[in-house]
Amino acid sequence: MIPAPSSPTFGSAMPEPLYREARRGILQRFLERPSLYFSDWGQATFEDQARENLAASITALG
């Protein structure tokens, strides 16, 4: 779940379009990394699902 800009974490100081744009950029930069995990075990165990999750989050942000 993506926290909304009006959640207690963010308050109402950040306009939603700005939040979505910034969050998309952050998630995209993660996807551009050669690997999301530093260990071979983390890469083998979690990498594929993590990339799917990041892509789904980017899509959900519009």
Coordinates of all heavy atoms in Angstrom, one line a residue:
M1 N 0.8 -1.2 0.0 CA 0.0 0.0 0.0 C 0.9 1.2 0.0 O 1.9 1.3 0.7 CB -0.9 0.0 1.2 CG -1.7 1.2 1.4 SD -2.7 1.2 2.8 CE -4.3 1.1 2.0
I2 N 0.5 2.2 -0.7 CA 1.2 3.5 -0.9 C 0.6 4.5 0.1 O -0.6 4.7 0.0 CB 1.1 4.0 -2.3 CG1 1.7 3.0 -3.3 CG2 1.8 5.3 -2.4 CD1 1.4 3.3 -4.7
P3 N 1.4 5.0 1.0 CA 0.8 6.0 2.0 C 0.4 7.2 1.2 O 1.1 7.7 0.3 CB 2.0 6.3 2.9 CG 3.2 5.9 2.2 CD 2.8 4.8 1.2
A4 N -0.8 7.7 1.5 CA -1.3 8.9 0.9 C -0.6 10.1 1.5 O -0.2 10.2 2.6 CB -2.8 9.0 1.1
P5 N -0.5 11.2 0.7 CA 0.1 12.4 1.2 C -0.6 13.0 2.3 O -0.1 13.8 3.1 CB 0.1 13.4 0.0 CG -0.4 12.6 -1.2 CD -0.9 11.3 -0.7
S6 N -1.9 12.7 2.5 CA -2.7 13.2 3.6 C -2.6 12.3 4.9 O -3.3 12.6 5.8 CB -4.1 13.5 3.2 OG -4.7 12.2 2.8
S7 N -1.8 11.3 4.8 CA -1.7 10.4 6.0 C -1.0 11.1 7.1 O -0.3 12.1 6.9 CB -0.9 9.1 5.5 OG 0.4 9.4 5.4
P8 N -1.0 10.6 8.3 CA -0.3 11.2 9.4 C 1.2 11.3 9.2 O 1.9 12.2 9.7 CB -0.6 10.2 10.6 CG -1.8 9.5 10.2 CD -1.8 9.4 8.7
T9 N 1.7 10.4 8.3 CA 3.2 10.5 8.0 C 3.5 11.7 7.3 O 4.6 12.3 7.5 CB 3.5 9.3 7.1 OG1 3.1 8.1 7.8 CG2 5.0 9.2 6.9
F10 N 2.7 12.2 6.4 CA 3.0 13.3 5.6 C 2.3 14.6 5.9 O 2.6 15.7 5.6 CB 2.7 13.0 4.1 CG 3.6 12.0 3.5 CD1 3.1 10.7 3.3 CD2 4.9 12.2 3.2 CE1 3.9 9.7 2.7 CE2 5.8 11.3 2.7 CZ 5.3 10.0 2.5
G11 N 1.1 14.5 6.6 CA 0.3 15.7 6.9 C -0.3 16.1 5.6 O -0.4 15.3 4.6
S12 N -0.7 17.3 5.4 CA -1.3 17.8 4.2 C -0.3 18.8 3.5 O -0.8 19.5 2.6 CB -2.6 18.5 4.5 OG -2.4 19.6 5.3
A13 N 0.9 18.8 3.9 CA 1.8 19.8 3.3 C 2.3 19.5 1.9 O 2.8 20.3 1.2 CB 3.1 19.9 4.2
M14 N 2.2 18.2 1.5 CA 2.6 17.8 0.2 C 1.5 17.6 -0.8 O 0.7 16.7 -0.5 CB 3.5 16.6 0.3 CG 4.0 16.1 -1.1 SD 5.1 14.7 -1.0 CE 6.6 15.5 -0.5
P15 N 1.3 18.3 -1.8 CA 0.3 18.1 -2.8 C 0.4 16.7 -3.4 O 1.5 16.2 -3.7 CB 0.4 19.2 -3.8 CG 1.3 20.2 -3.2 CD 2.2 19.5 -2.2
E16 N -0.7 16.0 -3.6 CA -0.7 14.6 -4.1 C 0.1 14.5 -5.4 O 0.9 13.6 -5.6 CB -2.1 14.1 -4.2 CG -2.1 12.6 -4.6 CD -3.4 11.9 -4.4 OE1 -4.3 12.5 -3.9 OE2 -3.5 10.8 -5.0
P17 N -0.2 15.4 -6.4 CA 0.6 15.2 -7.7 C 2.1 15.2 -7.5 O 2.8 14.5 -8.1 CB 0.1 16.3 -8.5 CG -1.2 16.7 -8.0 CD -1.1 16.5 -6.5
L18 N 2.6 16.1 -6.6 CA 4.0 16.2 -6.3 C 4.5 14.9 -5.6 O 5.5 14.4 -6.0 CB 4.3 17.4 -5.5 CG 5.7 17.6 -5.0 CD1 6.6 17.8 -6.3 CD2 5.8 18.9 -4.2
Y19 N 3.7 14.5 -4.7 CA 4.1 13.2 -4.0 C 4.2 12.1 -5.0 O 5.2 11.3 -4.9 CB 3.0 12.9 -2.9 CG 3.1 11.5 -2.4 CD1 4.0 11.1 -1.4 CD2 2.2 10.5 -2.9 CE1 4.1 9.8 -1.0 CE2 2.2 9.2 -2.4 CZ 3.2 8.9 -1.5 OH 3.2 7.6 -1.0
R20 N 3.2 11.9 -5.8 CA 3.2 10.8 -6.8 C 4.4 10.9 -7.7 O 5.0 9.9 -8.0 CB 1.9 10.8 -7.6 CG 0.7 10.4 -6.8 CD -0.6 10.4 -7.6 NE -1.7 9.8 -6.8 CZ -2.0 8.5 -6.7 NH1 -1.2 7.6 -7.4 NH2 -3.0 8.1 -6.0
E21 N 4.7 12.1 -8.2 CA 5.8 12.2 -9.1 C 7.1 11.9 -8.4 O 8.0 11.2 -9.0 CB 5.9 13.7 -9.6 CG 7.0 14.0 -10.5 CD 7.0 15.4 -11.0 OE1 6.0 16.1 -10.8 OE2 8.1 15.8 -11.5
A22 N 7.3 12.4 -7.2 CA 8.5 12.1 -6.4 C 8.6 10.6 -6.1 O 9.7 10.0 -6.3 CB 8.5 12.9 -5.2
R23 N 7.6 10.0 -5.7 CA 7.6 8.6 -5.3 C 7.9 7.7 -6.6 O 8.7 6.8 -6.5 CB 6.3 8.2 -4.7 CG 6.3 6.7 -4.3 CD 5.8 6.6 -2.9 NE 5.6 5.1 -2.6 CZ 6.5 4.5 -1.7 NH1 7.4 5.2 -1.2 NH2 6.3 3.2 -1.5
R24 N 7.3 8.1 -7.7 CA 7.6 7.3 -8.9 C 9.0 7.4 -9.3 O 9.7 6.4 -9.7 CB 6.8 7.9 -10.1 CG 5.4 7.3 -10.3 CD 4.8 7.6 -11.7 NE 4.8 9.1 -11.9 CZ 3.8 9.9 -11.6 NH1 2.7 9.4 -11.0 NH2 3.9 11.2 -11.9
G25 N 9.6 8.6 -9.1 CA 11.0 8.7 -9.4 C 11.9 7.9 -8.5 O 12.9 7.3 -9.0
I26 N 11.6 7.9 -7.3 CA 12.4 7.1 -6.3 C 12.3 5.6 -6.7 O 13.3 4.9 -6.7 CB 11.9 7.4 -4.9 CG1 12.3 8.8 -4.5 CG2 12.5 6.3 -3.9 CD1 11.6 9.3 -3.2
L27 N 11.1 5.1 -6.9 CA 10.9 3.7 -7.2 C 11.6 3.4 -8.5 O 12.2 2.3 -8.7 CB 9.4 3.4 -7.2 CG 8.7 3.6 -5.9 CD1 7.2 3.2 -6.1 CD2 9.3 2.8 -4.8
Q28 N 11.5 4.3 -9.5 CA 12.1 4.0 -10.8 C 13.7 3.9 -10.6 O 14.3 3.0 -11.3 CB 11.8 5.1 -11.8 CG 12.3 4.9 -13.2 CD 11.8 3.6 -13.8 OE1 10.6 3.4 -13.7 NE2 12.6 2.8 -14.4
R29 N 14.2 4.7 -9.8 CA 15.7 4.6 -9.6 C 16.1 3.3 -9.0 O 17.1 2.8 -9.3 CB 16.2 5.8 -8.8 CG 16.2 7.1 -9.6 CD 17.0 8.2 -8.9 NE 16.3 8.7 -7.7 CZ 15.3 9.6 -7.7 NH1 14.8 10.0 -8.9 NH2 14.8 10.0 -6.6
F30 N 15.2 2.8 -8.1 CA 15.5 1.4 -7.6 C 15.5 0.4 -8.7 O 16.4 -0.4 -8.8 CB 14.4 1.0 -6.5 CG 14.7 1.5 -5.1 CD1 14.0 2.5 -4.5 CD2 15.8 1.0 -4.4 CE1 14.2 2.9 -3.2 CE2 16.1 1.4 -3.1 CZ 15.3 2.4 -2.5
L31 N 14.5 0.5 -9.6 CA 14.4 -0.5 -10.7 C 15.7 -0.4 -11.6 O 16.0 -1.3 -12.3 CB 13.2 -0.2 -11.5 CG 11.9 -0.9 -11.0 CD1 10.7 -0.6 -11.9 CD2 12.1 -2.4 -10.8
E32 N 16.3 0.8 -11.7 CA 17.4 1.0 -12.6 C 18.7 0.4 -12.0 O 19.7 0.3 -12.8 CB 17.6 2.5 -12.9 CG 16.4 3.0 -13.8 CD 16.4 4.5 -13.9 OE1 17.3 5.2 -13.3 OE2 15.5 5.0 -14.5
R33 N 18.7 0.0 -10.8 CA 19.9 -0.5 -10.2 C 20.1 -1.9 -10.8 O 19.2 -2.6 -11.1 CB 19.7 -0.7 -8.7 CG 19.6 0.5 -7.9 CD 19.4 0.2 -6.4 NE 19.5 1.4 -5.6 CZ 19.4 1.4 -4.3 NH1 19.3 0.3 -3.6 NH2 19.4 2.6 -3.7
P34 N 21.4 -2.3 -10.9 CA 21.7 -3.7 -11.4 C 21.1 -4.7 -10.5 O 20.7 -5.8 -11.0 CB 23.2 -3.7 -11.5 CG 23.7 -2.4 -11.3 CD 22.6 -1.5 -10.7
S35 N 21.1 -4.5 -9.2 CA 20.5 -5.4 -8.2 C 19.9 -4.6 -7.1 O 20.5 -3.6 -6.7 CB 21.6 -6.3 -7.7 OG 21.0 -7.2 -6.8
L36 N 18.9 -5.1 -6.5 CA 18.2 -4.4 -5.4 C 18.8 -4.9 -4.1 O 18.7 -4.3 -3.0 CB 16.7 -4.7 -5.4 CG 16.0 -4.2 -6.6 CD1 14.5 -4.7 -6.5 CD2 16.0 -2.7 -6.7
Y37 N 19.5 -6.1 -4.1 CA 20.0 -6.7 -2.9 C 21.6 -6.9 -3.0 O 22.1 -7.1 -4.1 CB 19.4 -8.1 -2.7 CG 17.9 -7.9 -2.4 CD1 17.0 -7.9 -3.4 CD2 17.5 -7.7 -1.1 CE1 15.6 -7.8 -3.1 CE2 16.1 -7.6 -0.8 CZ 15.2 -7.6 -1.8 OH 13.9 -7.4 -1.6
F38 N 22.2 -6.7 -1.9 CA 23.7 -6.8 -2.0 C 24.2 -8.2 -1.9 O 25.3 -8.5 -2.4 CB 24.3 -6.0 -0.8 CG 24.0 -4.5 -1.0 CD1 23.1 -3.8 -0.1 CD2 24.6 -3.8 -2.0 CE1 22.9 -2.5 -0.3 CE2 24.4 -2.4 -2.2 CZ 23.5 -1.8 -1.3
S39 N 23.5 -9.1 -1.3 CA 23.9 -10.5 -1.1 C 23.4 -11.4 -2.2 O 22.3 -11.1 -2.8 CB 23.5 -11.1 0.2 OG 22.1 -11.3 0.2
D40 N 24.1 -12.4 -2.5 CA 23.7 -13.4 -3.5 C 22.4 -14.0 -3.1 O 21.5 -14.3 -3.9 CB 24.7 -14.5 -3.8 CG 26.0 -13.9 -4.5 OD1 25.9 -12.8 -5.1 OD2 27.1 -14.5 -4.3
W41 N 22.3 -14.3 -1.8 CA 21.1 -14.9 -1.2 C 19.9 -14.0 -1.4 O 18.8 -14.5 -1.8 CB 21.3 -15.3 0.2 CG 20.1 -15.9 0.9 CD1 19.7 -17.2 0.8 CD2 19.1 -15.2 1.6 NE1 18.5 -17.4 1.5 CE2 18.1 -16.2 2.0 CE3 18.9 -13.9 2.0 CZ2 17.0 -15.8 2.7 CZ3 17.8 -13.6 2.8 CH2 16.8 -14.6 3.1
G42 N 20.0 -12.7 -1.1 CA 18.9 -11.8 -1.2 C 18.5 -11.7 -2.7 O 17.3 -11.6 -3.0
Q43 N 19.5 -11.6 -3.6 CA 19.2 -11.5 -5.0 C 18.4 -12.8 -5.5 O 17.4 -12.7 -6.1 CB 20.5 -11.4 -5.8 CG 21.1 -10.0 -5.6 CD 22.5 -10.0 -6.3 OE1 22.9 -10.9 -7.0 NE2 23.2 -8.9 -5.9
A44 N 18.9 -13.9 -5.1 CA 18.3 -15.2 -5.5 C 16.9 -15.4 -4.9 O 16.0 -15.9 -5.5 CB 19.2 -16.4 -5.2
T45 N 16.7 -14.9 -3.7 CA 15.5 -15.1 -2.9 C 14.4 -14.1 -3.2 O 13.2 -14.4 -3.3 CB 15.8 -15.2 -1.4 OG1 16.8 -16.1 -1.2 CG2 14.5 -15.6 -0.6
F46 N 14.8 -12.8 -3.3 CA 13.8 -11.8 -3.3 C 13.8 -10.9 -4.6 O 12.8 -10.1 -4.8 CB 14.0 -10.8 -2.2 CG 14.0 -11.5 -0.8 CD1 15.1 -11.6 0.0 CD2 12.8 -12.1 -0.4 CE1 15.1 -12.2 1.2 CE2 12.8 -12.7 0.9 CZ 13.9 -12.8 1.7
E47 N 14.8 -10.9 -5.4 CA 15.0 -9.9 -6.5 C 13.8 -9.9 -7.4 O 13.3 -8.8 -7.7 CB 16.3 -10.2 -7.3 CG 16.6 -9.2 -8.3 CD 17.4 -8.0 -7.7 OE1 18.0 -8.1 -6.6 OE2 17.3 -6.9 -8.3
D48 N 13.4 -11.0 -8.0 CA 12.3 -11.0 -9.0 C 11.0 -10.4 -8.4 O 10.4 -9.6 -9.1 CB 12.1 -12.4 -9.5 CG 13.3 -12.9 -10.4 OD1 14.1 -12.1 -10.8 OD2 13.4 -14.1 -10.5
Q49 N 10.6 -10.9 -7.2 CA 9.4 -10.4 -6.7 C 9.5 -8.9 -6.3 O 8.5 -8.2 -6.5 CB 9.0 -11.2 -5.4 CG 7.7 -10.8 -4.8 CD 6.5 -11.1 -5.8 OE1 6.3 -12.2 -6.2 NE2 5.7 -10.1 -6.1
A50 N 10.6 -8.5 -5.8 CA 10.8 -7.1 -5.5 C 10.6 -6.2 -6.7 O 10.0 -5.1 -6.6 CB 12.1 -6.9 -4.8
R51 N 11.2 -6.6 -7.8 CA 11.1 -5.8 -9.0 C 9.7 -5.8 -9.5 O 9.2 -4.8 -10.0 CB 12.0 -6.4 -10.1 CG 13.5 -6.1 -9.8 CD 14.4 -6.5 -10.9 NE 15.8 -6.1 -10.6 CZ 16.2 -4.9 -10.8 NH1 15.5 -3.9 -11.3 NH2 17.5 -4.6 -10.4
E52 N 8.9 -6.9 -9.4 CA 7.5 -6.9 -9.8 C 6.7 -6.0 -8.9 O 5.9 -5.2 -9.3 CB 6.9 -8.3 -9.6 CG 7.4 -9.3 -10.7 CD 6.8 -10.7 -10.5 OE1 5.7 -10.8 -9.9 OE2 7.5 -11.6 -10.9
N53 N 7.0 -6.0 -7.6 CA 6.4 -5.1 -6.6 C 6.6 -3.6 -7.0 O 5.7 -2.8 -6.9 CB 6.8 -5.4 -5.2 CG 6.3 -6.7 -4.7 OD1 5.5 -7.4 -5.3 ND2 6.9 -7.2 -3.6
L54 N 7.9 -3.3 -7.3 CA 8.2 -1.9 -7.6 C 7.5 -1.5 -8.9 O 6.9 -0.4 -8.9 CB 9.7 -1.8 -7.8 CG 10.6 -1.8 -6.5 CD1 12.1 -1.9 -6.9 CD2 10.3 -0.5 -5.7
A55 N 7.5 -2.3 -9.9 CA 6.8 -2.0 -11.1 C 5.3 -1.8 -10.9 O 4.7 -0.8 -11.4 CB 7.0 -3.1 -12.2
A56 N 4.7 -2.6 -10.1 CA 3.3 -2.5 -9.8 C 3.0 -1.2 -9.0 O 2.0 -0.5 -9.3 CB 2.8 -3.7 -8.9
S57 N 3.9 -0.8 -8.1 CA 3.7 0.4 -7.4 C 3.8 1.6 -8.3 O 3.1 2.6 -8.2 CB 4.8 0.6 -6.2 OG 4.5 -0.4 -5.2
I58 N 4.8 1.6 -9.2 CA 4.9 2.7 -10.2 C 3.6 2.8 -11.0 O 3.1 3.9 -11.2 CB 6.2 2.5 -11.1 CG1 7.4 2.7 -10.2 CG2 6.2 3.4 -12.3 CD1 8.7 2.2 -10.9
T59 N 3.1 1.7 -11.5 CA 1.9 1.7 -12.3 C 0.7 2.3 -11.5 O -0.1 3.1 -12.0 CB 1.6 0.3 -12.7 OG1 2.6 -0.2 -13.6 CG2 0.3 0.2 -13.5
A60 N 0.6 1.9 -10.2 CA -0.5 2.3 -9.3 C -0.4 3.8 -9.1 O -1.4 4.5 -8.9 CB -0.4 1.6 -8.0
L61 N 0.8 4.4 -9.1 CA 0.9 5.8 -8.9 C 0.5 6.6 -10.1 O 0.3 7.9 -10.1 CB 2.4 6.2 -8.6 CG 2.8 5.8 -7.2 CD1 4.3 5.8 -7.0 CD2 2.2 6.7 -6.1
G62 N 0.4 6.0 -11.3 CA -0.1 6.6 -12.5 C 0.9 7.3 -13.3 O 2.0 7.6 -13.1

